[in-house]
């Protein structure tokens, strides 16, 4: 089987702030917008990993297991931690071609 991976994208721009990454802008239609991330939020954890820097946030989001449907994003908003559920893209799967006349096997959900 051949696999084509997709790098998860959150869809925010931000800068380092005390304890995390302060969101400056949320891309319309992005996973972040759908999860409820707002400009001014400070992202402190993604998928269980601390995000004290922009690079740490990229690494945490990029390292999300492609088989997950969602992951947790913890943001500080108005001084309180809030856990948001972010949709995670699934890994796209490409099956090899079957020889002519060979029966096609249906893909199993989640396989």
């Amino acid at each position: 089987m051949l696999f084509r991976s997709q790098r998860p994208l959150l869809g925010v721009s931000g800068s380092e702030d005390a304890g995390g990454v302060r969101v400056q802008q949320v891309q319309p239609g992005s996973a972040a917008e759908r999860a409820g991330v707002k400009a001014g939020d400070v992202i402190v954890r993604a998928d269980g990993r601390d995000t004290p820097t922009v690079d740490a946030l990229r690494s945490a989001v990029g390292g999300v297991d492609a088989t997950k449907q969602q992951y947790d994003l913890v943001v500080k908003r108005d001084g309180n931690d809030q856990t948001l559920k972010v949709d995670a893209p699934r890994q796209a799967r490409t099956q090899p071609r079957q020889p002519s006349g060979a029966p096609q096997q249906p893909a199993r959900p989640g396989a």
Side-chain angles (χ1 to χ4, degrees), residues 4-71:
R4 183 184 61 172
S5 64
Q6 296 176 352
R7 183 179 180 146
L9 295 176
L10 185 56
V12 298
S13 62
S15 59
E16 294 170 14
D17 197 323
V21 176
R22 181 167 302 276
V23 177
Q24 294 170 333
Q25 186 176 9
V26 179
Q27 189 174 35
S30 67
E33 182 184 58
R34 290 188 303 274
V37 176
K38 298 179 180 181
D41 286 349
V42 177
I43 301 171
V44 296
R45 200 165 19 270
D47 196 35
R49 296 172 60 183
D50 290 339
T51 56
T53 65
V54 172
D55 285 341
L57 176 59
R58 281 188 194 124
S59 178
V61 171
V64 171
D65 184 340
T67 62
K68 285 187 175 183
Q69 292 185 9
Q70 290 187 325
Y71 64 93

